């Protein structure tokens, strides 16, 4: 590719300018990159370029002169607090100053204030609200980085303002989708997002980040559809719950089990095809949401659903750290096809779906019901699927790579197993009704959870078949991970969405201060197994341990073989 700066040199010839080497990455697809551009290539400059392809037979394509404008990738943040039209905080006895896009408050703000929240203020000291900025980063409880409507830096506010107030930007997911701002905001600045039938994120080189706070829950009897939004892998739409200290003072996200005190979407189906969150755009990230699907006897209901399809579409979705809870009764017989997450439709073979650290359960009506259904190239890692008819439904598309997934209490672990890329998949645990599809996959029917009866499907500390049994995905080629569903750093790779807590076992034997077994003629050894678990073995000899020895009992032994007791171990 050849390019030149049309703004600085009108009519310039790209062949006399700079070059970028390009690589063929697909059928008719070539890619190249020019990173770190600096003056004279400035923001908003128009760049003229030509792409010339010379095939192996020496045939050249007829190059077409094209122009592109250099834009800076700017994130946009908006918050959602369902039903919350009241100011989160205001300037009564709290001074506001803004310098270098850092809003400083003389008194600390509440911990539930964070990214996406709208700050309205008086910029010219006339006691009239005339400006709005949005929190992009929480530095501490008194200092926040803010940006204007378009994500650009804001002007300094050097005169103390006490007319300011903070609001959620939107009061529901539906309103965030269609651009209906919080009615609690001052009318002078309220209409800051203006579009019809969706927003074009790519046109201004944005990412669009919508943060959901624990103010209430969204409810739909059919669907909340993100329709008409133009997005891409780079210019994505991101729906998420803030949890980091740089986002909010106190996490707004679940901790790995469904939490009705945090934001969630309730799909209370009033008929068939109640699809919940419907994605009708190319580039999407859904991170840390909760969805409850109540089918009420209707069929084809889902929690998260993509309908963006077509043989040439190149959708790029990342669906991670979510909890999708299904309540689908066994009757009536016509209530088919209920599922947790469905990505892709009739022909999505060029799409890629990255699905990780999700917990999905309760979709069990019949063989058409499933936990996670993917049509397209799937990278499906560290998910937990429980009490569904089918765990994973792999359908059409470019196949799927499955790693570290945990499937329990299902009738069929995988439907469409012929599309699993077994040579690249590994370390999954499936249920007894199925067989493994990669050499390192296992079939186990007794994995313990914190409380499956109350839908807490985090791994129990006694789930030794799953603890430490996964493959490290930190440097995975397709979907690198380093955290679990609750945001805990994975220092140990457990199977499924969560990291099991370390279990401590101690035994009590009233009045029993003597050794349960000492002086055995068996040789004791302790070693690590393939999953990193310490395993004690007693070999040789003829005197076995009593049957009343078990969990919590302590073994004292001579580790350094120098004589005497120098170490302890407990039976878990």
């Amino acid at each position: 590719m050849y390019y030149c700066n049309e703004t600085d040199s009108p009519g310039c010839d790209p062949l006399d300018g700079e070059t970028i080497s390009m690589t063929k990455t697909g059928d008719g697809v070539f890619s190249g990159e020019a990173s770190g551009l600096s003056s004279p290539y400035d923001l908003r400059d128009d760049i003229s370029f030509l792409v010339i392809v010379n095939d192996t037979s020496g045939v050249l394509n007829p190059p077409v002169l094209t122009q592109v404008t250099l834009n800076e990738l700017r994130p946009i943040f908006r918050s959602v607090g369902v039903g919350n039209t009241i100011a989160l905080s205001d300037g009564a006895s709290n001074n506001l100053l803004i310098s270098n896009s850092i809003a400083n408050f003389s008194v600390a703000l509440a911990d539930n204030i964070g990214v996406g929240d709208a700050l309205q203020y008086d910029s010219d000291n006339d006691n009239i609200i005339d400006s709005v900025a949005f929190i992009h980063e929480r530095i501490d409880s008194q200092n926040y980085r803010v940006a204007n409507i378009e994500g650009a830096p804001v002007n300094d506010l050097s005169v103390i303002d006490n007319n300011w107030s903070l609001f959620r930007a939107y009061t529901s997911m539906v309103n965030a989708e269609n651009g209906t701002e919080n009615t609690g905001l001052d009318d002078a600045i309220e209409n800051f997002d203006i579009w019809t039938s969706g927003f074009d994120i790519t046109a201004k080189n944005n990412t669009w980040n919508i943060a959901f706070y624990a103010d209430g829950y969204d409810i739909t009897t059919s669907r909340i559809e993100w329709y008409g939004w133009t997005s891409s892998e780079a210019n994505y739409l991101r729906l998420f719950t803030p949890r980091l200290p740089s986002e909010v003072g106190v996490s707004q996200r679940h901790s790995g089990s469904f939490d009705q005190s945090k934001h969630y979407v309730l799909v209370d189906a009033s008929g068939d095809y109640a699809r919940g969150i419907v994605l009708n755009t190319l580039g999407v990230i859904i991170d840390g949401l909760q969805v409850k699907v109540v089918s009420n006897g209707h069929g084809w209901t889902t929690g998260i659903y993509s309908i963006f399809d077509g043989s040439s579409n190149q959708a790029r979705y990342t669906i991670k750290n979510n909890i999708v809870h299904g309540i689908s009764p066994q009757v009536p017989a016509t209530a088919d096809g209920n599922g947790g997450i469905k990505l892709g439709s009739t022909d999505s073979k060029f799409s890629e779906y990255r699905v990780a650290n999700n917990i999905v359960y309760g979709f069990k009506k019949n063989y058409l019901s499933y936990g996670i259904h993917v049509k397209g190239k799937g990278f499906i890692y560290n998910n937990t699927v429980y009490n569904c008819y089918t765990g994973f439904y792999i359908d059409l598309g470019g196949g799927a790579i499955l790693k570290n997934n945990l499937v329990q209490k299902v009738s069929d672990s995988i439907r469409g197993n012929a599309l699993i890329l077994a040579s690249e998949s590994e370390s999954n645990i499936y249920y007894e009704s199925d067989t493994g599809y990669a050499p390192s996959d296992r079939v186990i029917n007794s994995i313990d959870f914190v409380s499956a009866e109350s839908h807490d499907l985090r791994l129990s500390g006694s789930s030794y078949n799953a603890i430490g049994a996964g493959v490290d995905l930190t440097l995975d080629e397709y979907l690198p991970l380093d955290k679990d569903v609750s945001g805990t750093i994975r220092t140990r790779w457990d199977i499924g969405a969560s990291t099991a807590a370390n279990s401590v076992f101690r035994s009590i034997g009233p009045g029993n201060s003597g050794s349960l077994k000492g002086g055995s003629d068996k040789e004791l050894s302790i070693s690590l197994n393939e999953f990193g678990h310490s395993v004690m073995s007693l070999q040789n000899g003829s005197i076995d341990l009593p049957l009343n020895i078990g969990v919590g009992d302590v073994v004292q032994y001579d580790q350094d073989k120098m004589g005497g007791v120098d170490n302890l171990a407990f039976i878990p």
Side-chain angles (χ1 to χ4, degrees):
M1 185 174 85
Y2 300 84
Y3 65 95
C4 61
N5 194 320
E6 179 69 20
T7 298
D8 290 355
S9 302
C12 66
D13 185 351
L15 294 176
D16 295 329
E18 310 290 336
T19 62
I20 299 174
S21 296
M22 304 189 75
T23 303
K24 186 175 182 181
T25 58
D27 187 10
V29 178
F30 296 82
S31 64
E33 179 178 318
S35 60
L37 289 177
S38 57
S39 185
Y41 294 98
D42 301 313
L43 288 175
R44 312 302 178 188
D45 282 355
D46 291 326
I47 306 302
S48 295
F49 67 92
L50 292 170
V51 176
I52 299 178
V53 179
N54 187 352
D55 70 13
T56 55
S57 63
V59 177
L60 293 175
N61 69 305
V64 178
L65 183 66
T66 311
Q67 287 189 349
V68 65
T69 301
L70 293 180
N71 288 320
E72 178 185 20
L73 181 65
R74 282 179 173 168
I76 302 294
F77 283 86
R78 300 290 189 264
S79 62
V80 174
V82 176
N84 191 355
T85 61
I86 306 300
L88 304 170
S89 188
D90 59 41
S93 303
N94 194 348
N95 301 335
L96 168 67
L97 292 171
I98 301 176
S99 176
N100 295 320
S101 291
I102 303 297
N104 170 261
F105 301 89
S106 61
V107 178
L109 301 184
D111 284 339
N112 68 336
I113 291 172
V115 292
D117 286 337
L119 171 65
Q120 62 177 33
Y121 59 100
D122 171 19
S123 66
D124 55 10
N125 198 31
D126 64 356
N127 295 318
I128 298 175
I129 296 298
D130 55 23
S131 298
V132 63
F134 299 87
I135 296 176
H136 277 219
E137 180 188 5
R138 179 184 184 272
I139 299 170
D140 56 40
S141 61
Q142 291 180 253
N143 295 280
Y144 299 79
R145 188 176 304 279
V146 295
N148 69 10
I149 294 170
E150 297 185 341
V154 300
N155 294 328
D156 286 356
L157 178 66
S158 56
V159 177
I160 290 174
D161 178 34
N162 293 109
N163 295 303
W164 66 268
S165 51
L166 270 162
F167 290 83
R168 303 293 189 217
Y170 291 100
T171 57
S172 71
M173 184 180 290
V174 169
N175 286 348
E177 190 280 329
N178 62 33
T180 302
E181 296 89 344
N182 190 337
T183 57
L185 289 159
D186 192 281
D187 290 343
I189 54 86
E190 183 180 312
N191 197 24
F192 44 77
D193 288 332
I194 304 173
W195 59 76
T196 301
S197 299
F199 181 75
D200 189 346
I201 303 174
T202 64
K204 294 186 177 181
N205 199 20
N206 295 135
T207 62
W208 200 270
N209 304 271
I210 302 181
F212 292 86
Y213 286 79
D215 297 345
Y217 65 92
D218 281 290
I219 183 170
T220 178
T221 59
S222 178
R223 61 180 61 192
I224 302 173
E225 184 169 353
W226 292 84
Y227 175 78
W229 286 64
T230 303
S231 62
S232 66
E233 186 173 15
N235 303 114
Y236 52 78
L237 168 67
R238 176 184 174 221
L239 312 179
F240 76 108
T241 47
R243 65 174 186 86
L244 297 172
S246 60
E247 296 171 334
V248 67
V250 60
S251 175
Q252 304 295 295
R253 184 171 297 187
H254 61 75
S255 58
S257 62
F258 204 100
D259 186 348
Q260 294 194 142
S261 71
K262 303 295 175 63
H263 172 267
Y264 65 97
V265 176
L266 172 61
V267 184
D268 190 14
S270 62
D272 291 348
Y273 301 100
R275 294 303 195 181
I277 302 173
V278 176
L279 308 172
N280 196 352
T281 184
L282 281 177
V284 179
I285 298 172
I286 298 184
D287 183 6
L289 298 191
Q290 301 181 119
V291 185
K292 178 183 287 188
V293 182
V294 183
S295 70
N296 295 316
H298 300 293
W300 312 105
T301 60
T302 49
I304 299 172
Y305 184 80
S306 163
I307 60 174
F308 203 90
D309 62 357
S311 60
S312 63
N313 109 54
Q314 297 186 34
R316 297 292 185 268
Y317 287 1
T318 298
I319 312 296
K320 62 181 180 179
N321 306 318
N322 305 290
I323 300 177
V324 185
H325 174 195
I327 302 176
S328 56
Q330 292 296 97
V331 292
T334 56
D336 292 334
N338 299 314
I341 299 171
K342 183 178 180 181
L343 304 174
S345 190
T346 55
D347 189 349
S348 301
K349 62 184 178 182
F350 295 111
S351 296
E352 294 181 1
Y353 302 110
R354 289 163 171 79
V355 185
N357 285 338
N358 300 288
I359 297 176
V360 182
Y361 56 97
F363 299 92
K364 59 183 180 179
K365 172 63 176 65
N366 59 21
Y367 78 101
L368 294 174
S369 299
Y370 53 85
I372 297 173
H373 184 177
V374 171
K375 291 185 176 185
K377 185 66 175 290
F379 305 96
I380 305 172
Y381 297 172
N382 275 103
N383 300 282
T384 296
V385 178
Y386 182 86
N387 197 27
C388 296
Y389 191 95
T390 298
F392 299 109
Y393 183 4
I394 311 302
D395 186 17
L396 303 178
I401 299 173
L402 285 80
K403 298 180 181 181
N404 295 351
N405 295 290
L406 174 59
V407 180
Q408 292 286 283
K409 300 296 182 184
V410 299
S411 297
D412 191 5
S413 291
I414 297 179
R415 182 181 175 197
N417 56 299
L419 290 170
I420 292 176
L421 303 177
S423 63
E424 298 181 70
S425 300
E426 56 184 316
S427 301
N428 301 286
I429 292 180
Y430 298 126
Y431 195 54
E432 62 181 348
S433 59
D434 238 310
T435 57
Y437 295 91
S440 57
D441 291 345
R442 292 173 294 152
V443 176
I444 299 172
N445 62 359
S446 58
I447 299 297
D448 295 329
F449 298 100
V450 172
S451 178
E453 295 78 10
S454 58
H455 309 306
D456 188 343
L457 297 174
R458 292 173 293 185
L459 274 182
S460 164
S462 60
S463 298
Y464 297 110
N465 281 315
I467 293 174
V471 59
D472 189 336
L473 300 177
T474 307
L475 300 178
D476 186 81
E477 177 182 359
Y478 304 108
L479 179 55
L481 301 175
D482 63 357
K483 300 178 183 66
D484 73 357
V485 64
S486 65
T488 301
I489 297 291
R490 288 186 183 268
T491 57
R492 178 191 68 216
W493 282 88
D494 297 349
I495 303 294
S498 69
T499 301
N502 292 323
S503 292
V504 175
F505 287 84
R506 299 292 187 265
S507 61
I508 297 175
N512 189 354
S513 60
S515 172
L516 299 174
K517 182 62 179 178
S520 169
D521 59 353
K522 291 183 178 291
E523 299 173 359
L524 180 146
S525 65
I526 298 177
S527 60
L528 295 179
N529 67 9
E530 59 181 315
F531 303 134
H533 303 158
S534 298
V535 177
M536 182 182 76
S537 299
L538 296 174
Q539 299 174 332
N540 303 320
S542 59
I543 304 175
D544 294 329
L545 297 182
L547 296 178
N548 67 338
I549 290 178
V551 294
D553 289 336
V554 59
V555 179
Q556 59 181 23
Y557 59 99
D558 176 15
Q559 184 177 33
D560 61 11
K561 304 298 179 63
M562 299 294 292
V565 172
D566 60 11
N567 220 325
L568 302 175
F570 296 85
I571 300 174

